[in-house]
Amino acid sequence: GLTFLLWYLSNRTWSAYESQQPLDAEPAGDPVKPAFSRPGFWYGRRLVARLRAAHTAAGFLTTAAGVTAAAARYDRAATSALFETLGLLMESSLAVAGVVVVWVVCRRGRTETHRDEQLDRAVTAWLPVSSLALLALALVYAAWDRADWVSSGALPGDRSFGFLAFAQGVLIIALAAVARHLRRRAPGERTALCGLGGPAVAMLACALGGVMTGGVAQRVADWVDHGAIHRASFNGPPALLTWQSSVIPALLALLIPVVLFFAVRTWRTARADAPHVMADYPTEQPDTARTRQIARARAMAGLTDHAPLFLGIVSGTSLLLGAAALVGAWWTSQVPEQAADDAATPIAFAADAAQSLGSWCTGFGFLLFVTWGRRAYKDAAARRTVGILWDVGTFWPRAAHPFAPPCYAERAVPDLAWRMNTWTERTGGRLVISGHSQGSVLAAAAVWQLPAATRRRVALLTYGCPVERLYGRWFPAYFGPAPLQALHQEVHCWRNLWRATDPIGGPVLAGDDVDKGPLLDPLAYGRTREHPLPAPILGHSDYQADPAFGRERALLLAELASGVPNQRADQGSSGRSSG
């Protein structure tokens, strides 16, 4: 049922996002050009359709394999040749179908150099239907009456969990090796985690899936049998899930010193920055509380630059604890059942305590997740934070998994590019594209999709822009110095406003005339005639309230309007504000 629901949601979002035709730009024949300028970058219609069919089939086949495994194992030990033959046929059919699914996934990748209008209808239509038919046959085969069959032992899949965890660890280590190799070939000064950002995020994804699965399985098992499940119970959840829930307290204990380190570092940075605050307000009378408030805001904004280090520590710790859980699960499988049932030893008591605490931590984390989601509906600050994280996480195309949240940029970027191109062609006018936060990323991606002649008629005004500070460090191939410099040269002009108190936005091109900042924040240190009330620290919001915004916009419009008759200043301004 869950697989079918995910297929339905993926199909709905695919028709609304990936199926929107991008602008008819010139073919990207030059491989040096940024990937965003390729005509097929924001058109994953064919690939996502194939992935949706393959992953739906994989879900059905996994369920069928779980149903078939126990029955086929019993039939091989029984005396019925008919059931043994049926079990062999079912297992062979599932194996062949699994190979077909893997082939469908690996057969075709992204097509960015041109817009691919085709659909593999034989794959998208028949693969899920065939896998569903195999699932129905597996249910009939396993449910057939076997009078002398009595359930015993553990459920099938215990070794499968261990194999999956081991395979994930091997893949992550391989990703790290490839990332280091690419880093040596093209070193970048500001790449997150020295190029290991991708493997670190993959490790966190695997760890989160493992601990959530382990914690939920352990918690449910405890509720079902009223707490009788312990670390080596052969009738409980798979041993690896139990061990994964056990390492959660150890992970939290290791993270506490890391959090304290960053807290102390931020406090020391704010204290050292206090003299520089007064240098920005030379005519004001010093106020210790006000100075500390501004310095603290600047120091807190700087935590964004230390986020890769924190992520690297968490990922490395998760990798080590995951390996320990895998070894512990293997050790548990080697312990005799009599010794496993002996819960009187101190080691067994500590293991039980860690498992119980880990399962409760998982439940508490789930409650925090739900509470934060409810808070986002009522609190503007929480909603802004969730919105920023959601926008960043759903910006990139679904090139890996069709059940991921839909890529809204595959709808927003073509819409914005079409509107810019058709408006300039119809009116002969020029445009100032104003983008804040994630809107500035969308604006840059949309301008890259325009024909070269149209780009020269566009000016960019970005503020609170994470293009270099976040995207450039995590995705240097797309937002590195070279692509951003090329974009600056291809548009008519570009201005970027940023503040030292902004935890998200920052400069985009060092040593160039693009960046204007850091802007003064707050606008006034104390009460003035222009600011009779204490000026708030704006941080990432309300850039339009700064006088510098109006000045830069007027300069851009004046520069664009030179030589263009009857061009209204307010006609060519559009933008998107995110967060």
Side-chain angles (χ1 to χ4, degrees):
L2 178 62
T3 302
F4 183 82
L5 175 63
L6 292 174
W7 170 85
Y8 173 76
L9 294 176
S10 178
N11 185 55
R12 287 284 303 272
T13 55
W14 169 79
S15 60
Y17 292 90
E18 278 86 5
S19 297
Q20 302 300 315
Q21 291 191 357
L23 185 66
D24 293 324
E26 64 267 16
D30 187 2
V32 181
K33 285 187 177 181
F36 286 139
S37 63
R38 299 169 187 166
F41 189 89
W42 299 109
Y43 195 61
R45 183 169 179 255
R46 184 176 188 179
L47 176 62
V48 175
R50 287 176 63 93
L51 291 178
R52 183 181 68 247
H55 283 78
T56 302
F60 290 146
L61 293 176
T62 302
T63 309
V67 171
T68 305
R73 182 174 56 183
Y74 171 79
D75 290 337
R76 282 195 296 269
T79 58
S80 175
L82 175 61
F83 280 103
E84 182 179 0
T85 304
L86 290 177
L88 181 60
L89 289 175
M90 285 301 306
E91 290 180 326
S92 302
S93 301
L94 293 175
V96 171
V99 171
V100 171
V101 168
V102 174
W103 178 83
V104 169
V105 172
C106 300
R107 176 64 177 84
R108 182 173 300 280
R110 284 177 55 80
T111 304
E112 299 178 359
T113 56
H114 65 280
R115 195 173 66 189
D116 194 351
E117 297 285 355
Q118 299 181 3
L119 277 181
D120 304 314
R121 299 192 180 278
V123 172
T124 57
W126 288 104
L127 190 59
V129 173
S130 302
S131 60
L132 186 60
L134 283 176
L135 174 59
L137 291 175
L139 292 175
V140 173
Y141 162 71
W144 201 270
D145 186 23
R146 296 171 177 83
D148 55 345
W149 190 15
V150 179
S151 61
S152 62
L155 290 172
D158 197 348
R159 294 183 179 180
S160 300
F161 278 103
F163 174 77
L164 289 175
F166 179 77
Q168 287 174 347
V170 171
L171 287 175
I172 289 170
I173 294 174
L175 282 175
V178 172
R180 291 298 299 169
H181 176 68
L182 295 176
R183 166 79 173 183
R184 285 193 296 267
R185 291 177 56 187
E189 296 181 358
R190 296 174 65 85
T191 305
L193 289 177
C194 299
L196 296 178
V201 174
M203 181 64 243
L204 283 185
C206 295
L208 182 62
V211 298
M212 290 295 292
T213 304
V216 170
Q218 184 70 22
R219 184 77 264 140
V220 172
D222 287 342
W223 284 339
V224 167
D225 70 346
H226 306 289
I229 295 296
H230 55 83
R231 65 182 180 92
S233 175
F234 288 88
N235 295 320
L240 179 62
L241 296 183
T242 303
W243 277 89
Q244 285 178 338
S245 66
S246 303
V247 301
I248 298 176
L251 177 62
L252 296 178
L254 291 174
L255 290 183
I256 291 176
V258 178
V259 174
L260 291 177
F261 168 78
F262 282 105
V264 173
R265 184 172 183 174
T266 302
W267 175 77
R268 296 182 63 181
T269 302
R271 187 176 181 180
D273 191 52
H276 300 88
V277 172
M278 292 310 305
D280 294 334
Y281 305 92
T283 62
E284 299 287 346
Q285 292 295 327
D287 183 348
T288 304
R290 182 65 164 171
T291 301
R292 289 178 179 175
Q293 182 186 22
I294 299 173
R296 189 184 306 114
R298 294 180 179 181
M300 292 292 291
L303 283 176
T304 303
D305 300 321
H306 303 301
L309 176 60
F310 180 79
L311 180 65
I313 294 174
V314 176
S315 299
T317 305
S318 301
L319 180 61
L320 295 178
L321 290 177
L326 191 60
V327 173
W330 174 82
W331 173 79
T332 301
S333 64
Q334 305 300 316
V335 175
E337 187 172 357
Q338 296 84 348
D341 291 334
D342 184 11
T345 63
I347 297 179
F349 179 79
D352 291 343
Q355 291 161 17
S356 300
L357 183 59
S359 62
W360 281 109
C361 287
T362 303
F364 181 69
F366 178 77
L367 292 178
L368 283 180
F369 180 78
V370 175
T371 303
W372 187 263
R374 289 177 57 87
R375 183 185 173 191
Y377 284 95
K378 301 179 181 180
D379 187 3
R383 183 165 57 251
R384 187 180 303 113
T385 302
V386 173
I388 292 173
L389 295 176
W390 183 267
D391 284 348
V392 173
T394 57
F395 172 75
W396 298 100
R398 292 190 287 190
H401 208 301
F403 294 162
C407 170
Y408 73 94
E410 296 217 41
R411 177 67 180 269
V413 171
D415 286 354
L416 184 57
W418 273 100
R419 186 174 182 181
M420 287 190 292
N421 192 63
T422 55
W423 189 89
T424 53
E425 287 182 350
R426 185 175 66 251
T427 63
R430 304 185 179 186
L431 284 169
V432 170
I433 302 300
S434 170
H436 170 246
S437 188
Q438 187 71 11
S440 63
V441 183
L442 288 175
V447 170
W448 260 311
Q449 285 282 300
L450 296 174
T454 308
R455 289 195 201 115
R456 301 300 306 169
R457 310 179 70 87
V458 173
L460 276 175
L461 177 59
T462 57
Y463 38 99
C465 177
V467 163
E468 194 281 331
R469 189 179 187 184
L470 296 182
Y471 284 85
R473 301 180 192 181
W474 290 95
F475 310 100
Y478 298 94
F479 291 100
L484 293 180
Q485 187 64 41
L487 179 64
H488 177 218
Q489 295 173 357
E490 292 178 359
V491 298
H492 190 280
C493 46
W494 187 3
R495 295 294 182 272
N496 176 65
L497 310 179
W498 64 281
R499 300 185 180 122
T501 56
D502 190 344
I504 298 175
V508 294
L509 285 173
D512 214 316
D513 61 345
V514 173
D515 297 302
K516 302 297 179 181
L519 304 181
L520 203 61
D521 187 35
L523 294 175
Y525 183 83
R527 296 175 185 267
T528 64
R529 292 184 179 275
E530 292 79 11
H531 300 88
L533 297 177
I537 300 176
L538 298 177
H540 186 60
S541 61
D542 292 336
Y543 273 85
Q544 296 90 336
D546 196 302
F549 178 86
R551 291 195 302 267
E552 294 299 330
R553 181 177 58 182
L555 290 174
L556 287 178
L557 290 172
E559 186 173 350
L560 277 175
S562 59
V564 181
N566 300 325
Q567 177 69 19
R568 291 173 51 192
D570 59 344
Q571 187 178 9
S573 181
S574 65
R576 178 185 186 271
S577 192
S578 172

mmCIF file of all heavy atoms in Angstrom, residues 17 44 95 101 185 207 258 269-270 362 368 376 395 428 438 446 466 509-510 534 547:
data_model
loop_
_atom_site.group_PDB
_atom_site.id
_atom_site.type_symbol
_atom_site.label_atom_id
_atom_site.label_comp_id
_atom_site.label_asym_id
_atom_site.label_seq_id
_atom_site.Cartn_x
_atom_site.Cartn_y
_atom_site.Cartn_z
ATOM 1 N N TYR A 17 5.615 18.953 -12.546
ATOM 2 C CA TYR A 17 6.928 19.589 -12.484
ATOM 3 C C TYR A 17 7.830 19.140 -13.629
ATOM 4 O O TYR A 17 8.216 19.944 -14.479
ATOM 5 C CB TYR A 17 7.599 19.280 -11.136
ATOM 6 C CG TYR A 17 6.892 19.934 -9.969
ATOM 7 C CD1 TYR A 17 5.862 19.283 -9.298
ATOM 8 C CD2 TYR A 17 7.248 21.207 -9.554
ATOM 9 C CE1 TYR A 17 5.213 19.885 -8.240
ATOM 10 C CE2 TYR A 17 6.604 21.818 -8.491
ATOM 11 C CZ TYR A 17 5.584 21.153 -7.831
ATOM 12 O OH TYR A 17 4.938 21.752 -6.796
ATOM 13 N N GLY A 44 13.537 16.623 -16.747
ATOM 14 C CA GLY A 44 13.787 15.222 -16.419
ATOM 15 C C GLY A 44 12.596 14.324 -16.634
ATOM 16 O O GLY A 44 12.420 13.338 -15.907
ATOM 17 N N ALA A 95 14.252 -13.188 -9.175
ATOM 18 C CA ALA A 95 15.640 -12.828 -9.465
ATOM 19 C C ALA A 95 15.760 -12.181 -10.837
ATOM 20 O O ALA A 95 16.454 -11.168 -11.007
ATOM 21 C CB ALA A 95 16.529 -14.066 -9.372
ATOM 22 N N VAL A 101 15.009 -4.716 -13.226
ATOM 23 C CA VAL A 101 14.872 -3.430 -12.550
ATOM 24 C C VAL A 101 16.219 -2.708 -12.486
ATOM 25 O O VAL A 101 16.319 -1.505 -12.780
ATOM 26 C CB VAL A 101 14.282 -3.625 -11.142
ATOM 27 C CG1 VAL A 101 14.393 -2.351 -10.322
ATOM 28 C CG2 VAL A 101 12.823 -4.053 -11.238
ATOM 29 N N ARG A 185 42.173 16.495 -8.742
ATOM 30 C CA ARG A 185 42.217 16.913 -10.149
ATOM 31 C C ARG A 185 41.800 18.363 -10.329
ATOM 32 O O ARG A 185 42.299 19.049 -11.212
ATOM 33 C CB ARG A 185 41.303 16.009 -10.976
ATOM 34 C CG ARG A 185 41.807 14.584 -11.112
ATOM 35 C CD ARG A 185 40.813 13.740 -11.892
ATOM 36 N NE ARG A 185 40.524 14.315 -13.205
ATOM 37 C CZ ARG A 185 39.593 13.856 -14.028
ATOM 38 N NH1 ARG A 185 38.876 12.801 -13.662
ATOM 39 N NH2 ARG A 185 39.378 14.408 -15.192
ATOM 40 N N ALA A 207 22.532 6.898 7.982
ATOM 41 C CA ALA A 207 22.461 6.799 9.437
ATOM 42 C C ALA A 207 21.071 7.151 9.949
ATOM 43 O O ALA A 207 20.539 6.482 10.846
ATOM 44 C CB ALA A 207 23.510 7.710 10.068
ATOM 45 N N VAL A 258 30.925 18.594 21.043
ATOM 46 C CA VAL A 258 31.045 19.351 19.798
ATOM 47 C C VAL A 258 30.172 20.605 19.847
ATOM 48 O O VAL A 258 30.609 21.709 19.469
ATOM 49 C CB VAL A 258 30.665 18.465 18.601
ATOM 50 C CG1 VAL A 258 30.745 19.256 17.296
ATOM 51 C CG2 VAL A 258 31.568 17.247 18.529
ATOM 52 N N THR A 269 34.075 34.741 19.635
ATOM 53 C CA THR A 269 34.051 35.564 18.426
ATOM 54 C C THR A 269 33.247 36.836 18.645
ATOM 55 O O THR A 269 33.655 37.930 18.211
ATOM 56 C CB THR A 269 33.465 34.762 17.255
ATOM 57 O OG1 THR A 269 34.245 33.579 17.051
ATOM 58 C CG2 THR A 269 33.453 35.572 15.983
ATOM 59 N N ALA A 270 32.100 36.718 19.310
ATOM 60 C CA ALA A 270 31.289 37.897 19.592
ATOM 61 C C ALA A 270 32.016 38.870 20.515
ATOM 62 O O ALA A 270 31.949 40.094 20.331
ATOM 63 C CB ALA A 270 29.952 37.471 20.211
ATOM 64 N N THR A 362 14.483 7.819 19.859
ATOM 65 C CA THR A 362 13.881 7.852 18.529
ATOM 66 C C THR A 362 12.446 8.367 18.603
ATOM 67 O O THR A 362 12.034 9.210 17.788
ATOM 68 C CB THR A 362 13.906 6.453 17.902
ATOM 69 O OG1 THR A 362 15.246 5.990 17.854
ATOM 70 C CG2 THR A 362 13.337 6.488 16.498
ATOM 71 N N LEU A 368 9.551 15.597 18.390
ATOM 72 C CA LEU A 368 10.124 16.903 18.094
ATOM 73 C C LEU A 368 9.893 17.292 16.634
ATOM 74 O O LEU A 368 9.584 18.451 16.328
ATOM 75 C CB LEU A 368 11.620 16.894 18.395
ATOM 76 C CG LEU A 368 12.045 16.978 19.861
ATOM 77 C CD1 LEU A 368 13.570 16.959 19.957
ATOM 78 C CD2 LEU A 368 11.497 18.231 20.528
ATOM 79 N N ALA A 376 5.600 25.397 12.667
ATOM 80 C CA ALA A 376 5.813 26.143 11.431
ATOM 81 C C ALA A 376 4.525 26.774 10.914
ATOM 82 O O ALA A 376 4.576 27.767 10.176
ATOM 83 C CB ALA A 376 6.415 25.224 10.363
ATOM 84 N N PHE A 395 15.592 21.924 -4.577
ATOM 85 C CA PHE A 395 15.998 22.731 -5.727
ATOM 86 C C PHE A 395 16.503 21.867 -6.874
ATOM 87 O O PHE A 395 16.213 22.136 -8.039
ATOM 88 C CB PHE A 395 17.090 23.719 -5.297
ATOM 89 C CG PHE A 395 17.714 24.467 -6.435
ATOM 90 C CD1 PHE A 395 17.033 25.493 -7.067
ATOM 91 C CD2 PHE A 395 18.984 24.136 -6.900
ATOM 92 C CE1 PHE A 395 17.606 26.191 -8.125
ATOM 93 C CE2 PHE A 395 19.560 24.825 -7.951
ATOM 94 C CZ PHE A 395 18.873 25.847 -8.563
ATOM 95 N N GLY A 428 10.770 44.568 -26.706
ATOM 96 C CA GLY A 428 12.075 45.159 -26.957
ATOM 97 C C GLY A 428 12.681 45.800 -25.729
ATOM 98 O O GLY A 428 13.662 46.547 -25.841
ATOM 99 N N GLN A 438 16.624 32.214 -1.683
ATOM 100 C CA GLN A 438 16.519 31.162 -2.692
ATOM 101 C C GLN A 438 16.026 31.711 -4.019
ATOM 102 O O GLN A 438 16.316 31.126 -5.085
ATOM 103 C CB GLN A 438 15.574 30.069 -2.190
ATOM 104 C CG GLN A 438 15.509 28.842 -3.065
ATOM 105 C CD GLN A 438 16.782 28.012 -3.018
ATOM 106 O OE1 GLN A 438 17.639 28.246 -2.177
ATOM 107 N NE2 GLN A 438 16.906 27.056 -3.916
ATOM 108 N N ALA A 446 17.553 30.714 -13.999
ATOM 109 C CA ALA A 446 16.690 31.087 -15.120
ATOM 110 C C ALA A 446 17.450 31.926 -16.152
ATOM 111 O O ALA A 446 17.262 31.761 -17.366
ATOM 112 C CB ALA A 446 15.471 31.848 -14.612
ATOM 113 N N PRO A 466 22.532 33.172 -1.293
ATOM 114 C CA PRO A 466 23.393 32.057 -0.886
ATOM 115 C C PRO A 466 24.119 31.391 -2.043
ATOM 116 O O PRO A 466 24.626 30.271 -1.886
ATOM 117 C CB PRO A 466 22.396 31.087 -0.254
ATOM 118 C CG PRO A 466 21.145 31.277 -1.049
ATOM 119 C CD PRO A 466 21.132 32.737 -1.470
ATOM 120 N N LEU A 509 31.149 37.256 -5.707
ATOM 121 C CA LEU A 509 32.375 37.306 -6.503
ATOM 122 C C LEU A 509 33.388 38.176 -5.770
ATOM 123 O O LEU A 509 33.218 39.399 -5.676
ATOM 124 C CB LEU A 509 32.111 37.873 -7.900
ATOM 125 C CG LEU A 509 31.412 36.942 -8.895
ATOM 126 C CD1 LEU A 509 31.060 37.678 -10.172
ATOM 127 C CD2 LEU A 509 32.293 35.750 -9.218
ATOM 128 N N ALA A 510 34.418 37.554 -5.247
ATOM 129 C CA ALA A 510 35.431 38.292 -4.502
ATOM 130 C C ALA A 510 36.262 39.147 -5.450
ATOM 131 O O ALA A 510 36.614 38.730 -6.561
ATOM 132 C CB ALA A 510 36.334 37.317 -3.742
ATOM 133 N N PRO A 534 14.280 51.924 18.584
ATOM 134 C CA PRO A 534 15.506 51.149 18.351
ATOM 135 C C PRO A 534 15.412 50.348 17.050
ATOM 136 O O PRO A 534 14.460 49.581 16.838
ATOM 137 C CB PRO A 534 15.598 50.242 19.575
ATOM 138 C CG PRO A 534 14.825 50.950 20.636
ATOM 139 C CD PRO A 534 13.724 51.666 19.929
ATOM 140 N N PRO A 547 18.174 51.691 2.676
ATOM 141 C CA PRO A 547 18.285 52.679 1.588
ATOM 142 C C PRO A 547 19.216 52.240 0.464
ATOM 143 O O PRO A 547 19.038 52.657 -0.687
ATOM 144 C CB PRO A 547 18.838 53.918 2.311
ATOM 145 C CG PRO A 547 18.448 53.741 3.740
ATOM 146 C CD PRO A 547 18.469 52.274 3.987
#
